[in-house]
């Protein structure tokens, strides 16, 4: 269950990192672009349903930005994941999401908000 696994402050940090590193290709509204997929709504649901938050994190960390994957640092990547979850309707909570792959592997992306 993805209820409350990140904080609002973390999602805001993720928004800032997204704006600086991702928006050029994926769009300011996360709707995608000519060469990059959308990151909200049906596109997000189709891509990640049934997988783990660890899958989102490792995908973003190992492929983005395309010209320099893995260069943003663990905190920036996990904050971006928190922002993506927030942008897709998952509620914030009292704990920050961490880049601990063992913990992230235990969180399935199953229940999608309306």
């Amino acid at each position: 269950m993805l209820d409350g696994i990140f904080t609002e402050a973390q999602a805001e940090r993720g928004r800032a990192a997204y704006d600086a590193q991702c928006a050029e290709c994926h769009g300011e509204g996360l709707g995608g672009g000519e060469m990059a997929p959308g990151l909200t709504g049906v596109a997000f649901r189709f891509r990640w349903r049934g997988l783990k938050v660890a899958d989102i994190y490792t995908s973003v960390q190992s492929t983005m930005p395309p010209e320099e994957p893995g260069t943003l640092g663990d905190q920036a990547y996990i904050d971006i994941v928190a922002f993506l979850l927030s942008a897709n309707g998952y509620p914030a909570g009292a704990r920050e999401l961490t880049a601990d792959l063992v913990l992230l592997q235990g969180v399935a992306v199953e229940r999608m908000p309306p």
Side-chain angles (χ1 to χ4, degrees):
M1 189 126 137
L2 297 177
D3 288 347
I5 64 169
F6 60 88
T7 66
E8 286 184 29
Q10 183 176 28
E12 283 303 312
R13 287 194 317 265
R15 174 187 293 275
Y18 174 90
D19 288 346
Q21 301 294 328
C22 314
E24 182 178 339
C25 295
H26 290 279
E28 288 182 26
L30 295 99
E34 198 173 293
M35 308 258 314
L39 300 173
T40 58
V42 172
F44 183 88
R45 290 178 174 143
F46 180 77
R47 172 71 174 98
W48 300 112
R49 188 176 193 290
L51 297 176
K52 307 290 184 181
V53 174
D55 297 316
I56 299 171
Y57 173 79
T58 55
S59 177
V60 172
Q61 190 271 337
S62 66
T63 63
M64 296 291 129
E67 62 282 348
E68 298 178 300
T71 59
L72 303 184
D74 290 342
Q75 191 64 55
Y77 286 114
I78 202 67
D79 290 349
I80 290 168
V81 170
F83 169 59
L84 295 177
L85 294 172
S86 176
N88 279 282
Y90 293 99
R95 298 175 307 159
E96 288 213 348
L97 192 58
T98 64
D100 180 333
L101 287 177
V102 172
L103 293 176
L104 296 177
Q105 195 62 22
V107 183
V109 183
E110 300 229 2
R111 184 189 61 78
M112 298 308 246

